C-alpha cells in the first residue's frame, strides 16, 4: 500500500509539472508551485525526485510524449486515409488549444525552446519525445506504400509542421494555423503514390 501511495504521489507531481509547463513554461514553474498544485506532502518532491527539477521535467516530457504517441497510434488505427489520420490528430490539438483559451501549448516544444541549450538531459528527453511521434507515423506511412526513407521524411515534416502551427496558433490566439496545416498535410499525404517519391 505504501508503494502504491508513493506511486500515486509521484504520478501527481509529474502530472502537475506537465500542466504547469504547458501553461507557464519550464522556467516559470517553481517546485513549490508544483507541490501545491499536486496537493502533495511537503518534502515529497525530493523524496521521489532527488535530482530535482530537471528530473521532474524529464518525466513530464516523457508523459507528454507517451500521450501524444498514443494519440497518433490510435488515430492511425481508425478507418480513413493518411490525411484523415492527421486531421484527427490536429483536431484534438485544435480542441485543446481552444478549450484552454490558448494557454496550453505543446510542453515538449516549450521545454526545447527554453532549456535545449542549457540542459543536455532535457534536450535529450525532448529529442526522444519528438522521435517517439515521428517513428509510429513513419511506420504507418510505410505501411501505406511509401518507401521507408520517404515515409520518415514525410513523418518528420508532419511533426515539424504541426509543432510550428501550434506555436502560431497560440501567438495569434486562433486555430487557423492548425487548420491550414491540416489542409496542406492532408493534401500532401493523400496524393496518389507515383514514381516521383521522396528520396
Amino acid at each position: 500500500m505504501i508503494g502504491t501511495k508513493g506511486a500515486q504521489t509521484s504520478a501527481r507531481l509529474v502530472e502537475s509539472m506537465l500542466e504547469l509547463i504547458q501553461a507557464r513554461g519550464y522556467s516559470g514553474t517553481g517546485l513549490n508551485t508544483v507541490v501545491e498544485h499536486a496537493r502533495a506532502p511537503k518534502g515529497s518532491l525530493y523524496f521521489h525526485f532527488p535530482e530535482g527539477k530537471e528530473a521532474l521535467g524529464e518525466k513530464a516530457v516523457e508523459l507528454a510524449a507517451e500521450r501524444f504517441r498514443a494519440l497518433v497510434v490510435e488515430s492511425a488505427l481508425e478507418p480513413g486515409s493518411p490525411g484523415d489520420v492527421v486531421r484527427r490528430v490536429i483536431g484534438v490539438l485544435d480542441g485543446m488549444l481552444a478549450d484552454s483559451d490558448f494557454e496550453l501549448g505543446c510542453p515538449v516544444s516549450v521545454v526545447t525552446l527554453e532549456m535545449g541549450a542549457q540542459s543536455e538531459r532535457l534536450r535529450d528527453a525532448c529529442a526522444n519525445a519528438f522521435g517517439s511521434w515521428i517513428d509510429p507515423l513513419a511506420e504507418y506511412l510505410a505501411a501505406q506504400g511509401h518507401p521507408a526513407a520517404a515515409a520518415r521524411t514525410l513523418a518528420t515534416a508532419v511533426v515539424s509542421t504541426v509543432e510550428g502551427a501550434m506555436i502560431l496558433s497560440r501567438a495569434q490566439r486562433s486555430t487557423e494555423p492548425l487548420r491550414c496545416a491540416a489542409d496542406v498535410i492532408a493534401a500532401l499525404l493523400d496524393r496518389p503514390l507515383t514514381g516521383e517519391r521522396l528520396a
Side-chain angles (χ1 to χ4, degrees), residues 120-132:
E120 183 175 352
R121 180 176 190 166
L122 290 174
R123 184 192 62 76
D124 285 346
C126 292
N128 290 335
F130 289 128
S132 76

Side-chain angles (χ1 to χ4, degrees), residues 87 90 94 165 169 174-185:
R87 285 188 187 280
I90 292 179
D94 184 307
S169 288
S174 166
T175 57
E176 183 179 3
L178 273 173
R179 292 196 299 271
C180 291
D183 289 342
V184 170
I185 293 170

Side-chain angles (χ1 to χ4, degrees), residues 128-169:
N128 290 335
F130 289 128
S132 76
W133 304 341
I134 292 169
D135 290 345
L137 185 54
E139 290 171 8
Y140 167 75
L141 292 172
Q144 298 300 306
H146 291 277
R152 185 157 192 88
T153 296
L154 283 169
T156 301
V158 168
V159 172
S160 301
T161 301
V162 172
E163 283 295 314
M166 285 279 287
I167 293 172
L168 262 67
S169 288

Side-chain angles (χ1 to χ4, degrees), residues 14 17-18 21 26 54-68 106-112 121-130 132-133:
V14 174
M17 183 67 171
L18 175 57
I21 287 174
Y26 180 86
E54 279 194 10
L56 183 58
E58 179 181 39
K59 289 299 181 184
V61 167
E62 290 174 359
L63 177 59
E66 179 184 324
R67 287 180 175 172
F68 189 76
C106 173
V108 180
S109 63
V110 168
V111 174
T112 300
R121 180 176 190 166
L122 290 174
R123 184 192 62 76
D124 285 346
C126 292
N128 290 335
F130 289 128
S132 76
W133 304 341

